[in-house]
Amino acid sequence: MISRLNLGNFIKLAPATIAGLKAVAEGVKQGSIPSELAELINLRVSQINGCGFCLQMHLKEAAKLGMDESLLLLLPVWRETAVFNDREKAALALAEAITGISQSPVSDQVFLDAQRHFDDTELAHLVSAAVAINGFNRIALTYLFSIPTNA
C-alpha cells in the first residue's frame, strides 16, 4: 500500500484551500435555498462520487434537520419516484450535471429546467452547493484512501 497524507494533514498543509471551500459551503447555508435541499445535493453528489466519508457526514446532518427518511432512501432513484417535487428534481438534475461535467457540459435543458424553478440567486446557490461538495469529495477521496501498489 502506498502511504498518503491523511485528511488532517491536508487541512494543515492547505488551510486556505479548506477555508475557501468552507466559505463556499457557508455561503450556501446563508443563501436562499433551504438547508434540506442543500443536503439532498450534498448527499446525491457524494453518492455519485463514491465518497463514503462525506455521505456519512451529510446523512447525520440530514437527520439533525429531521429530513424525511424516504427522501434519503430513494435519493439514488429520484427520477423514478414521485417522492421528490419538481424543484428538488430540477436541483438534483443540475447537481448531477455539474458533477459529471467532465463527460459533458450542463445541457441547456437541465439549465432551463432549473431556471423555471429557481430565481437567479437560488440558482447561484445551487451551483455553489454542487461545486463545494464536489471539491470536498475529491479531497476526501484523494487523501483518505490507500490503494494497494499491486492493484
PDB file of all heavy atoms in Angstrom, residues 7 13 27 35 40 46 52 54 65 75 83 86-87 94 102 109 111-113 122 127 131 143:
ATOM      1  N   LEU A   7      -6.337  13.228   5.821  1.00  0.00           N
ATOM      2  CA  LEU A   7      -7.115  14.440   5.610  1.00  0.00           C
ATOM      3  C   LEU A   7      -6.718  15.545   6.582  1.00  0.00           C
ATOM      4  O   LEU A   7      -6.646  16.715   6.210  1.00  0.00           O
ATOM      5  CB  LEU A   7      -8.610  14.124   5.715  1.00  0.00           C
ATOM      6  CG  LEU A   7      -9.576  15.209   5.288  1.00  0.00           C
ATOM      7  CD1 LEU A   7      -9.314  15.657   3.864  1.00  0.00           C
ATOM      8  CD2 LEU A   7     -11.005  14.711   5.423  1.00  0.00           C
ATOM      9  N   LEU A  13      -1.787  21.499   5.791  1.00  0.00           N
ATOM     10  CA  LEU A  13      -0.900  21.933   4.717  1.00  0.00           C
ATOM     11  C   LEU A  13      -1.544  22.924   3.753  1.00  0.00           C
ATOM     12  O   LEU A  13      -0.853  23.715   3.128  1.00  0.00           O
ATOM     13  CB  LEU A  13      -0.401  20.714   3.938  1.00  0.00           C
ATOM     14  CG  LEU A  13       0.496  19.767   4.709  1.00  0.00           C
ATOM     15  CD1 LEU A  13       0.701  18.470   3.949  1.00  0.00           C
ATOM     16  CD2 LEU A  13       1.827  20.441   5.022  1.00  0.00           C
ATOM     17  N   GLY A  27     -21.603  30.059   2.446  1.00  0.00           N
ATOM     18  CA  GLY A  27     -22.410  30.937   1.602  1.00  0.00           C
ATOM     19  C   GLY A  27     -23.703  30.274   1.171  1.00  0.00           C
ATOM     20  O   GLY A  27     -24.758  30.912   1.114  1.00  0.00           O
ATOM     21  N   SER A  35     -32.050  24.451   3.663  1.00  0.00           N
ATOM     22  CA  SER A  35     -30.984  23.546   4.125  1.00  0.00           C
ATOM     23  C   SER A  35     -31.239  22.114   3.681  1.00  0.00           C
ATOM     24  O   SER A  35     -30.299  21.393   3.326  1.00  0.00           O
ATOM     25  CB  SER A  35     -30.877  23.589   5.651  1.00  0.00           C
ATOM     26  OG  SER A  35     -30.542  24.874   6.080  1.00  0.00           O
ATOM     27  N   LEU A  40     -29.750  17.437   0.235  1.00  0.00           N
ATOM     28  CA  LEU A  40     -30.025  16.487  -0.854  1.00  0.00           C
ATOM     29  C   LEU A  40     -28.925  16.559  -1.904  1.00  0.00           C
ATOM     30  O   LEU A  40     -28.468  15.526  -2.413  1.00  0.00           O
ATOM     31  CB  LEU A  40     -31.392  16.758  -1.500  1.00  0.00           C
ATOM     32  CG  LEU A  40     -32.623  16.357  -0.706  1.00  0.00           C
ATOM     33  CD1 LEU A  40     -33.889  16.776  -1.448  1.00  0.00           C
ATOM     34  CD2 LEU A  40     -32.643  14.853  -0.424  1.00  0.00           C
ATOM     35  N   SER A  46     -22.267  13.178  -3.304  1.00  0.00           N
ATOM     36  CA  SER A  46     -21.360  12.253  -2.602  1.00  0.00           C
ATOM     37  C   SER A  46     -21.621  10.807  -3.008  1.00  0.00           C
ATOM     38  O   SER A  46     -20.683  10.006  -3.105  1.00  0.00           O
ATOM     39  CB  SER A  46     -21.499  12.429  -1.091  1.00  0.00           C
ATOM     40  OG  SER A  46     -21.071  13.713  -0.696  1.00  0.00           O
ATOM     41  N   GLY A  52     -17.831   7.921   0.768  1.00  0.00           N
ATOM     42  CA  GLY A  52     -18.495   7.454   1.979  1.00  0.00           C
ATOM     43  C   GLY A  52     -18.296   8.384   3.156  1.00  0.00           C
ATOM     44  O   GLY A  52     -19.194   8.549   3.982  1.00  0.00           O
ATOM     45  N   CYS A  54     -18.002  11.735   3.188  1.00  0.00           N
ATOM     46  CA  CYS A  54     -18.924  12.876   3.085  1.00  0.00           C
ATOM     47  C   CYS A  54     -20.378  12.412   3.165  1.00  0.00           C
ATOM     48  O   CYS A  54     -21.222  13.098   3.753  1.00  0.00           O
ATOM     49  CB  CYS A  54     -18.681  13.649   1.792  1.00  0.00           C
ATOM     50  SG  CYS A  54     -17.083  14.512   1.762  1.00  0.00           S
ATOM     51  N   LEU A  65     -31.627  17.715  10.685  1.00  0.00           N
ATOM     52  CA  LEU A  65     -32.648  18.584  10.095  1.00  0.00           C
ATOM     53  C   LEU A  65     -34.033  17.947  10.116  1.00  0.00           C
ATOM     54  O   LEU A  65     -35.015  18.585   9.750  1.00  0.00           O
ATOM     55  CB  LEU A  65     -32.273  18.930   8.644  1.00  0.00           C
ATOM     56  CG  LEU A  65     -31.059  19.823   8.448  1.00  0.00           C
ATOM     57  CD1 LEU A  65     -30.682  19.899   6.968  1.00  0.00           C
ATOM     58  CD2 LEU A  65     -31.313  21.217   9.012  1.00  0.00           C
ATOM     59  N   LEU A  75     -33.167   8.551  -2.728  1.00  0.00           N
ATOM     60  CA  LEU A  75     -32.331   9.517  -3.442  1.00  0.00           C
ATOM     61  C   LEU A  75     -31.597   8.931  -4.646  1.00  0.00           C
ATOM     62  O   LEU A  75     -31.559   9.569  -5.705  1.00  0.00           O
ATOM     63  CB  LEU A  75     -31.363  10.190  -2.470  1.00  0.00           C
ATOM     64  CG  LEU A  75     -30.547  11.355  -3.007  1.00  0.00           C
ATOM     65  CD1 LEU A  75     -31.440  12.445  -3.596  1.00  0.00           C
ATOM     66  CD2 LEU A  75     -29.666  11.928  -1.903  1.00  0.00           C
ATOM     67  N   VAL A  83     -41.687  10.881  -4.954  1.00  0.00           N
ATOM     68  CA  VAL A  83     -41.408  11.428  -3.623  1.00  0.00           C
ATOM     69  C   VAL A  83     -40.818  12.840  -3.709  1.00  0.00           C
ATOM     70  O   VAL A  83     -41.038  13.658  -2.833  1.00  0.00           O
ATOM     71  CB  VAL A  83     -40.452  10.488  -2.857  1.00  0.00           C
ATOM     72  CG1 VAL A  83     -40.025  11.067  -1.527  1.00  0.00           C
ATOM     73  CG2 VAL A  83     -41.102   9.133  -2.656  1.00  0.00           C
ATOM     74  N   ASP A  86     -40.942  18.953  -8.041  1.00  0.00           N
ATOM     75  CA  ASP A  86     -40.294  19.440  -9.261  1.00  0.00           C
ATOM     76  C   ASP A  86     -39.059  20.288  -8.976  1.00  0.00           C
ATOM     77  O   ASP A  86     -38.071  20.216  -9.706  1.00  0.00           O
ATOM     78  CB  ASP A  86     -41.289  20.218 -10.124  1.00  0.00           C
ATOM     79  CG  ASP A  86     -42.336  19.314 -10.753  1.00  0.00           C
ATOM     80  OD1 ASP A  86     -42.114  18.082 -10.835  1.00  0.00           O
ATOM     81  OD2 ASP A  86     -43.380  19.843 -11.188  1.00  0.00           O
ATOM     82  N   ARG A  87     -39.108  21.091  -7.928  1.00  0.00           N
ATOM     83  CA  ARG A  87     -37.925  21.896  -7.562  1.00  0.00           C
ATOM     84  C   ARG A  87     -36.755  21.003  -7.163  1.00  0.00           C
ATOM     85  O   ARG A  87     -35.624  21.223  -7.576  1.00  0.00           O
ATOM     86  CB  ARG A  87     -38.253  22.846  -6.409  1.00  0.00           C
ATOM     87  CG  ARG A  87     -38.906  24.140  -6.845  1.00  0.00           C
ATOM     88  CD  ARG A  87     -39.319  25.006  -5.663  1.00  0.00           C
ATOM     89  NE  ARG A  87     -38.272  25.365  -4.723  1.00  0.00           N
ATOM     90  CZ  ARG A  87     -37.521  26.466  -4.795  1.00  0.00           C
ATOM     91  NH1 ARG A  87     -37.692  27.323  -5.775  1.00  0.00           N
ATOM     92  NH2 ARG A  87     -36.615  26.713  -3.869  1.00  0.00           N
ATOM     93  N   LEU A  94     -29.495  19.323 -11.950  1.00  0.00           N
ATOM     94  CA  LEU A  94     -28.407  20.282 -12.127  1.00  0.00           C
ATOM     95  C   LEU A  94     -27.149  19.829 -11.382  1.00  0.00           C
ATOM     96  O   LEU A  94     -26.050  19.861 -11.930  1.00  0.00           O
ATOM     97  CB  LEU A  94     -28.840  21.670 -11.652  1.00  0.00           C
ATOM     98  CG  LEU A  94     -27.809  22.784 -11.808  1.00  0.00           C
ATOM     99  CD1 LEU A  94     -27.419  22.983 -13.266  1.00  0.00           C
ATOM    100  CD2 LEU A  94     -28.339  24.080 -11.200  1.00  0.00           C
ATOM    101  N   SER A 102     -17.195  16.705 -16.628  1.00  0.00           N
ATOM    102  CA  SER A 102     -16.042  16.264 -17.421  1.00  0.00           C
ATOM    103  C   SER A 102     -16.472  15.348 -18.573  1.00  0.00           C
ATOM    104  O   SER A 102     -15.764  15.223 -19.562  1.00  0.00           O
ATOM    105  CB  SER A 102     -15.005  15.552 -16.550  1.00  0.00           C
ATOM    106  OG  SER A 102     -15.529  14.344 -16.044  1.00  0.00           O
ATOM    107  N   GLN A 109     -31.224  22.027 -21.555  1.00  0.00           N
ATOM    108  CA  GLN A 109     -32.473  21.538 -20.982  1.00  0.00           C
ATOM    109  C   GLN A 109     -32.409  21.495 -19.460  1.00  0.00           C
ATOM    110  O   GLN A 109     -33.330  21.938 -18.779  1.00  0.00           O
ATOM    111  CB  GLN A 109     -32.818  20.150 -21.534  1.00  0.00           C
ATOM    112  CG  GLN A 109     -34.146  19.617 -21.031  1.00  0.00           C
ATOM    113  CD  GLN A 109     -35.319  20.520 -21.408  1.00  0.00           C
ATOM    114  OE1 GLN A 109     -35.417  20.957 -22.541  1.00  0.00           O
ATOM    115  NE2 GLN A 109     -36.182  20.809 -20.459  1.00  0.00           N
ATOM    116  N   PHE A 111     -30.376  23.186 -17.521  1.00  0.00           N
ATOM    117  CA  PHE A 111     -30.258  24.548 -17.004  1.00  0.00           C
ATOM    118  C   PHE A 111     -31.585  25.298 -17.090  1.00  0.00           C
ATOM    119  O   PHE A 111     -31.992  25.972 -16.131  1.00  0.00           O
ATOM    120  CB  PHE A 111     -29.151  25.309 -17.746  1.00  0.00           C
ATOM    121  CG  PHE A 111     -28.741  26.558 -17.032  1.00  0.00           C
ATOM    122  CD1 PHE A 111     -27.847  26.510 -15.977  1.00  0.00           C
ATOM    123  CD2 PHE A 111     -29.262  27.785 -17.399  1.00  0.00           C
ATOM    124  CE1 PHE A 111     -27.473  27.666 -15.294  1.00  0.00           C
ATOM    125  CE2 PHE A 111     -28.900  28.946 -16.722  1.00  0.00           C
ATOM    126  CZ  PHE A 111     -28.003  28.884 -15.675  1.00  0.00           C
ATOM    127  N   LEU A 112     -32.273  25.160 -18.204  1.00  0.00           N
ATOM    128  CA  LEU A 112     -33.569  25.831 -18.361  1.00  0.00           C
ATOM    129  C   LEU A 112     -34.592  25.309 -17.360  1.00  0.00           C
ATOM    130  O   LEU A 112     -35.388  26.085 -16.820  1.00  0.00           O
ATOM    131  CB  LEU A 112     -34.094  25.672 -19.787  1.00  0.00           C
ATOM    132  CG  LEU A 112     -33.364  26.487 -20.853  1.00  0.00           C
ATOM    133  CD1 LEU A 112     -33.830  26.078 -22.253  1.00  0.00           C
ATOM    134  CD2 LEU A 112     -33.554  27.978 -20.630  1.00  0.00           C
ATOM    135  N   ASP A 113     -34.566  24.007 -17.096  1.00  0.00           N
ATOM    136  CA  ASP A 113     -35.479  23.449 -16.105  1.00  0.00           C
ATOM    137  C   ASP A 113     -35.180  24.035 -14.726  1.00  0.00           C
ATOM    138  O   ASP A 113     -36.092  24.394 -13.979  1.00  0.00           O
ATOM    139  CB  ASP A 113     -35.389  21.922 -16.093  1.00  0.00           C
ATOM    140  CG  ASP A 113     -36.523  21.301 -15.296  1.00  0.00           C
ATOM    141  OD1 ASP A 113     -37.664  21.805 -15.362  1.00  0.00           O
ATOM    142  OD2 ASP A 113     -36.265  20.296 -14.609  1.00  0.00           O
ATOM    143  N   GLU A 122     -31.082  31.903  -6.194  1.00  0.00           N
ATOM    144  CA  GLU A 122     -31.187  30.495  -5.794  1.00  0.00           C
ATOM    145  C   GLU A 122     -30.343  29.615  -6.704  1.00  0.00           C
ATOM    146  O   GLU A 122     -29.665  28.685  -6.235  1.00  0.00           O
ATOM    147  CB  GLU A 122     -32.643  30.036  -5.845  1.00  0.00           C
ATOM    148  CG  GLU A 122     -33.536  30.672  -4.808  1.00  0.00           C
ATOM    149  CD  GLU A 122     -35.007  30.370  -5.048  1.00  0.00           C
ATOM    150  OE1 GLU A 122     -35.444  30.333  -6.220  1.00  0.00           O
ATOM    151  OE2 GLU A 122     -35.710  30.163  -4.043  1.00  0.00           O
ATOM    152  N   VAL A 127     -25.664  26.025  -7.699  1.00  0.00           N
ATOM    153  CA  VAL A 127     -24.383  25.744  -8.360  1.00  0.00           C
ATOM    154  C   VAL A 127     -23.265  25.726  -7.333  1.00  0.00           C
ATOM    155  O   VAL A 127     -22.408  24.830  -7.343  1.00  0.00           O
ATOM    156  CB  VAL A 127     -24.111  26.774  -9.488  1.00  0.00           C
ATOM    157  CG1 VAL A 127     -22.697  26.632 -10.029  1.00  0.00           C
ATOM    158  CG2 VAL A 127     -25.139  26.620 -10.611  1.00  0.00           C
ATOM    159  N   VAL A 131     -20.659  22.687  -6.444  1.00  0.00           N
ATOM    160  CA  VAL A 131     -19.217  22.920  -6.566  1.00  0.00           C
ATOM    161  C   VAL A 131     -18.510  22.604  -5.248  1.00  0.00           C
ATOM    162  O   VAL A 131     -17.475  21.926  -5.234  1.00  0.00           O
ATOM    163  CB  VAL A 131     -18.946  24.381  -7.010  1.00  0.00           C
ATOM    164  CG1 VAL A 131     -17.483  24.755  -6.835  1.00  0.00           C
ATOM    165  CG2 VAL A 131     -19.389  24.577  -8.456  1.00  0.00           C
ATOM    166  N   TYR A 143      -7.236  11.796  -0.305  1.00  0.00           N
ATOM    167  CA  TYR A 143      -6.399  11.714   0.890  1.00  0.00           C
ATOM    168  C   TYR A 143      -6.806  10.668   1.905  1.00  0.00           C
ATOM    169  O   TYR A 143      -6.022  10.311   2.765  1.00  0.00           O
ATOM    170  CB  TYR A 143      -6.325  13.083   1.573  1.00  0.00           C
ATOM    171  CG  TYR A 143      -5.315  13.960   0.904  1.00  0.00           C
ATOM    172  CD1 TYR A 143      -5.675  14.771  -0.159  1.00  0.00           C
ATOM    173  CD2 TYR A 143      -3.994  13.943   1.296  1.00  0.00           C
ATOM    174  CE1 TYR A 143      -4.736  15.561  -0.793  1.00  0.00           C
ATOM    175  CE2 TYR A 143      -3.046  14.723   0.669  1.00  0.00           C
ATOM    176  CZ  TYR A 143      -3.429  15.528  -0.384  1.00  0.00           C
ATOM    177  OH  TYR A 143      -2.502  16.290  -1.016  1.00  0.00           O
TER     178      TYR A 143
END
